[in-house]
Amino acid sequence: MEYIILGLLLLQSRTIYQLRKRINEGLNLMYSCSTGSIQAAIKKLLKSGYIRVDEIVENGKQKKLYSITEAGKTQFNAWVNSAIDNNAGKNPELAKVYFMGFSEKDNRIKLIQNHIHELQNALSTLENICEDGEDILADSQENDILFYQLQTAKYGRDLIRFNIDWYNKLLENIREN
């Protein structure tokens, strides 16, 4: 979570509310977040000196605006330029499928149907993000940051498509047995 926050603050200073909103709008495939997890990461980053906080008044309300420091930029750059973790693609939810034989058949079908429905909703959102990103990228000149952000959205879209197909095949096999 800390590196996600550093990356977002590298783009622009933000409040906790703005950080959570941005993570939920496009990064939730990589990280799920709550206000509590963001606050814990913020505390850790402040303690490390990787970010700073400024008190501002906006529309008559006192807000805390977080910004990345030079030390934070150095730390973020070290992380972003390090090797990609091969173990990061693990899916703990597959353990439910592994042990699904302990569940009643009707319940298995219902759980998988609900999961497919949720995946389809997520796919719709990511397809819109990819389409919008392609349009924005086509209209911009050399935007490396947007290009790679779009690639992660495409990865998410393609991964969800794979999962929908896989779960549909599983559902078909359950119904046949």
Side-chain angles (χ1 to χ4, degrees), residues 85-131:
D85 183 2
N86 289 331
N87 292 321
K90 294 184 180 184
N91 182 350
E93 284 299 303
L94 267 178
K96 283 186 182 178
V97 175
Y98 186 84
F99 292 110
M100 199 166 271
F102 291 105
S103 178
E104 295 294 322
K105 184 176 181 177
D106 290 342
N107 192 49
R108 296 175 211 159
I109 290 171
K110 181 181 169 190
L111 288 169
I112 292 169
Q113 286 173 327
N114 289 340
H115 187 60
I116 291 169
H117 178 73
E118 292 298 319
L119 288 169
Q120 288 169 332
N121 289 338
L123 177 60
S124 177
T125 299
L126 277 172
E127 284 175 336
N128 290 334
I129 289 170
C130 289
E131 188 177 303

Side-chain angles (χ1 to χ4, degrees), residues 12 115 128 140 142:
Q12 73 182 55
H115 187 60
N128 290 334
S140 69
E142 293 187 52

Side-chain angles (χ1 to χ4, degrees), residues 36-95:
S37 64
I38 292 174
Q39 288 172 332
I42 290 284
K43 281 183 184 179
K44 187 175 177 181
L45 291 167
L46 283 167
K47 185 176 180 179
S48 299
Y50 297 150
I51 64 171
R52 70 172 190 277
V53 61
D54 295 306
E55 300 275 341
I56 62 167
V57 177
E58 187 177 281
N59 297 329
K61 292 185 179 182
Q62 188 98 4
K63 294 184 178 187
K64 292 182 178 182
L65 187 67
Y66 297 92
S67 303
I68 192 167
T69 63
E70 286 303 316
K73 289 177 187 177
T74 300
Q75 183 68 16
F76 178 81
N77 283 327
W79 171 77
V80 82
N81 288 301
S82 66
I84 296 172
D85 183 2
N86 289 331
N87 292 321
K90 294 184 180 184
N91 182 350
E93 284 299 303
L94 267 178

